[in-house]
Amino acid sequence: MLLDTLHNEKLLNVPWTIRRVENKTFYIKYMFEEKEYVTLVTDLRLVWFEYGDFERIQQNARVQNIDIESEKEAIAVLTRLKQLFIDSISRCSIKKEVGKLKLHCKPSMSQIQNRINTLSWIFNCELLDPETVNDNALSGPQVIYEHFIQPSQTIVNHFTENMSDDNQIKLKMAKASASMFSTTSLSYISDLINDKNIGTIATATPMSPDEPEPPSPKKEISIITDEELKERKRREAQLLEQEERKRLMAASKKRRRL
């Protein structure tokens, strides 16, 4: 199975919903329109997709013992499906099978008790092929590239291209080996930014009165870890406590003199 380019273009700007099941993380995109729906799921290794047209809705409805005979009935069910999917996406069960991935969406207990929405539905997503020569469709790896790698690469490239040539992070990146650094690696960029050994080298040269003043250097962005932030707050609290003790001691001495 392949992902049609038209569906891919529609899904490109749809935000990902993250669903964590045990130790696995799945990323889900979905769109519900008047007569159809699409769901795209990936674990960043494989990609699954379902196109829910009239026939597909009929097929999935039979599993729930629901008979759909007309498009009007399918549209009514689709309206309920959209609400069910949105309400249960954060708690839906995900089951991988050979060539398939099933999203089982159920109403909450309170909804069942109050009979707000008793509809239960299984979205049957099919595994995308690992490669294709079709220019009008995308394989699984192509979807991962367009939806994850390419946006990340754009962010990193923008970050690096807007650095000055003498920026210490950029200099360190230039010295890094290809195996150590990749422009698609946001984590490596983060490590570089947080590197405590990165310093700024500046030299002062005399200027004549007629020379224009050089532009002020760009401010260095300092990123600290949670541990460093906690330590800073702890030290600030200690300083405040010490100052309070000194103030109380001074007030006590003053009262004794009086």
Side-chain angles (χ1 to χ4, degrees), residues 80 107 111-112 115-120:
R80 296 177 63 192
Q111 288 176 327
I112 294 175
R115 296 185 178 182
I116 297 174
N117 186 1
T118 58
L119 178 65
S120 178

Side-chain angles (χ1 to χ4, degrees), residues 7-229:
H7 290 145
N8 182 62
E9 289 174 3
K10 287 183 177 180
L11 289 167
L12 270 175
N13 293 325
V14 175
W16 288 103
T17 298
I18 300 175
R19 175 73 175 104
R20 292 183 174 87
V21 181
E22 296 177 351
N23 295 326
K24 298 178 181 178
T25 302
F26 294 91
Y27 301 86
I28 304 171
K29 284 191 177 188
Y30 59 90
M31 281 186 65
F32 286 84
E33 297 181 330
E34 184 182 3
K35 296 182 179 181
E36 61 186 24
Y37 68 84
V38 290
T39 55
L40 183 70
V41 186
T42 179
D43 59 0
L44 299 185
R45 296 174 180 83
L46 301 173
V47 183
W48 298 266
F49 175 74
E50 182 181 30
Y51 171 50
D53 57 2
F54 174 66
E55 292 182 359
R56 187 74 168 196
I57 294 172
Q58 270 188 321
Q59 178 183 340
N60 289 348
R62 293 191 190 101
V63 179
Q64 307 301 326
N65 296 319
I66 301 174
D67 292 327
I68 297 177
E69 297 180 356
S70 65
E71 287 193 3
K72 187 176 181 180
E73 291 176 338
I75 292 173
V77 170
L78 192 56
T79 302
R80 296 177 63 192
L81 276 183
K82 179 180 179 180
Q83 192 60 48
L84 171 67
F85 194 93
I86 294 172
D87 290 343
S88 62
I89 188 65
S90 61
R91 51 183 169 79
C92 67
S93 63
I94 299 179
K95 184 179 180 181
K96 290 172 65 175
E97 296 182 356
V98 178
K100 290 184 179 181
L101 183 136
K102 294 186 176 183
L103 299 178
H104 194 177
C105 296
K106 303 177 183 179
S108 64
M109 289 301 298
S110 61
Q111 288 176 327
I112 294 175
Q113 291 171 357
N114 297 323
R115 296 185 178 182
I116 297 174
N117 186 1
T118 58
L119 178 65
S120 178
W121 197 267
I122 297 176
F123 293 85
N124 294 284
C125 302
E126 297 182 27
L127 181 66
L128 293 187
D129 296 343
E131 59 182 356
T132 180
V133 293
N134 186 349
D135 294 334
N136 296 319
L138 282 76
S139 64
Q142 287 174 318
V143 170
I144 293 175
Y145 175 79
E146 289 205 4
H147 288 258
F148 283 93
I149 298 176
Q150 195 171 42
S152 299
Q153 188 171 13
T154 301
I155 294 171
V156 175
N157 288 347
H158 176 79
F159 178 77
T160 55
E161 288 169 3
N162 283 276
M163 289 180 179
S164 61
D165 291 336
D166 59 346
N167 186 285
Q168 295 299 309
I169 297 176
K170 192 169 185 178
L171 291 174
K172 188 169 184 178
M173 286 164 52
K175 295 177 182 178
S177 64
S179 61
M180 182 180 178
F181 171 72
S182 167
T183 53
T184 62
S185 176
L186 290 173
S187 60
Y188 184 70
I189 289 291
S190 177
D191 291 340
L192 285 170
I193 294 174
N194 286 285
D195 192 340
K196 297 178 182 179
N197 296 322
I198 294 177
T200 304
I201 302 173
T203 56
T205 55
M207 293 177 56
S208 65
D210 297 332
E211 289 182 359
E213 186 177 348
S216 58
K218 294 182 180 179
K219 293 182 179 179
E220 293 287 337
I221 299 175
S222 176
I223 299 179
I224 62 175
T225 63
D226 292 339
E227 290 75 11
E228 291 173 333
L229 183 60

